[in-house]
Amino acid sequence: MSDSVPRRDTRGIVDPAELLSRVRFRRHAPAAELRPYLEHYWLIDWELPEPYASHVVPHPSVNVVFQRYGPLGAPASAAHASAEVSGIGLGLATHKLTETGRVCGIQFRPGGFRPFAPGWPVSTWTGRRVPLPEVFPDTGGGGAAATSGGGSAAMSGGGAAGTSADLMSAVLSPGTDHARVAALDAFLLAHGPAPDPAADRAMELVDLVRGDRSVRRVSQLAAASGLSARSLQRLFAAEVGVGPKWVILRYRIHEALERAEAAGAAGAPDWAALAAELGYSDQAHLVRDFTATIGVPPSAYARGLSLP
């Protein structure tokens, strides 16, 4: 999405109403020169009396995540902070939120990350969460270790913001969203984007899959692209991070999840018709995919049952 207005849907978020009742969640557009490569920036702040676990069915997108969390009432200096590159998640992601925290994230368009880190195929990061300096080495100087999710990671720094402490402070400390967005813009503009026609092509093809429900098979996408299935696989591995079949299936699950959420208020949808619309062989195929990804069948999810 190169539009200046970030998308407003909640696709991929499991039970979005529950999440949004507990956290402050916002999306912002990046600087104009970055918009061809990014979906948006996403900012979350919370202060919770009790722990809460959010669940997300990941998009075929790489994220860069800056986060800070700490105990209720503690000064900012006592908070733990980290920065990482989060590759495409292959399964349901669970994020445990406790006490107070802040996250500033960058969601790249599928295919949009490679121009900022051209040294590796994007599949290098798939299924992984790595400290920022592993991908952007110039962000590793001048910082102490910081904890994240029970592990340790070097705090980011250098680049546009000088030392690691400078960068973390620039992104996580400001009281206004405008200042946080400006810091994220500065970080990215210091690292690209490098021209990459292959990334441009991959982004076009993923957009086709996302916007055209008639594209249900890799053979159809290959025909539309003018590439062989093998060349299409290589393009997606290098520029997106997952194969075209995975992207097609993931967007189908996102659609089914959104329909199931709508069904909670409007009555059960025609699951058999939805399965046919999304390209599943039958309703049972849809139910199996949905259950394997989310943890409960679509009908149970629509009734508001909790995840196991």
Side-chain angles (χ1 to χ4, degrees):
M1 292 183 182
S2 58
D3 203 315
S4 61
V5 179
R7 61 184 178 83
R8 297 181 180 275
D9 65 78
T10 56
R11 284 197 172 188
I13 301 176
V14 176
D15 198 353
E18 179 69 13
L19 173 67
L20 297 178
S21 72
R22 295 173 181 267
V23 306
R24 288 185 60 235
F25 178 86
R26 296 90 70 205
R27 292 187 178 117
H28 293 284
E33 53 267 59
L34 296 170
R35 289 173 194 162
Y37 306 94
L38 270 62
E39 295 277 4
H40 49 249
Y41 298 136
W42 50 277
L43 310 181
I44 302 178
D45 295 272
W46 68 87
E47 185 171 324
L48 299 171
E50 297 179 353
Y52 170 71
S54 68
H55 306 278
V56 178
V57 181
H59 290 253
S61 299
V62 174
N63 285 260
V64 170
V65 182
F66 297 85
Q67 54 195 340
R68 186 182 75 195
Y69 58 94
L72 286 167
S77 59
H80 299 280
S82 65
E84 65 186 16
V85 171
S86 180
I88 296 172
L90 298 178
L92 185 69
T94 298
H95 304 282
K96 295 182 179 178
L97 309 181
T98 61
E99 301 183 300
T100 63
R102 169 174 294 175
V103 177
C104 299
I106 304 167
Q107 184 175 337
F108 293 83
R109 289 179 62 191
F113 182 69
R114 184 80 183 272
F116 297 88
W120 303 272
V122 180
S123 58
T124 303
W125 319 115
T126 298
R128 301 175 60 200
R129 297 170 60 179
V130 300
L132 197 68
E134 286 194 23
V135 188
F136 301 99
D138 66 322
T139 64
T147 60
S148 172
S152 65
M155 284 203 296
S156 66
T163 68
S164 63
D166 290 335
L167 180 56
M168 297 298 287
S169 178
V171 172
L172 292 169
S173 295
T176 67
D177 286 6
H178 177 78
R180 298 183 211 175
V181 167
L184 293 171
D185 281 343
F187 164 71
L188 286 179
L189 290 171
H191 292 93
D196 186 343
D200 295 340
R201 185 64 174 137
M203 287 188 282
E204 291 174 2
L205 292 173
V206 174
D207 280 348
L208 178 61
V209 172
R210 177 160 48 183
D212 187 346
R213 291 181 191 157
S214 70
V215 180
R216 301 172 178 175
R217 292 176 175 80
V218 173
S219 59
Q220 292 174 295
L221 187 60
S225 69
L227 298 172
S228 67
R230 189 180 185 87
S231 295
L232 188 65
Q233 295 280 0
R234 286 198 296 265
L235 175 69
F236 269 58
E239 306 294 335
V240 180
V242 289
K245 181 178 180 180
W246 191 95
V247 173
I248 292 169
L249 292 175
R250 180 48 50 94
Y251 281 136
R252 291 200 306 195
I253 286 294
H254 279 178
E255 178 76 12
L257 183 63
E258 190 171 59
R259 296 290 188 91
E261 289 161 0
D270 184 338
W271 296 114
L274 178 59
E277 181 182 340
L278 296 179
Y280 286 96
S281 57
D282 53 28
Q283 180 177 341
H285 187 189
L286 166 61
V287 170
R288 285 195 302 272
D289 259 14
F290 190 101
T291 304
T293 304
I294 307 300
V296 294
S299 57
Y301 181 81
R303 292 195 301 270
L305 297 182
S306 299
L307 289 171

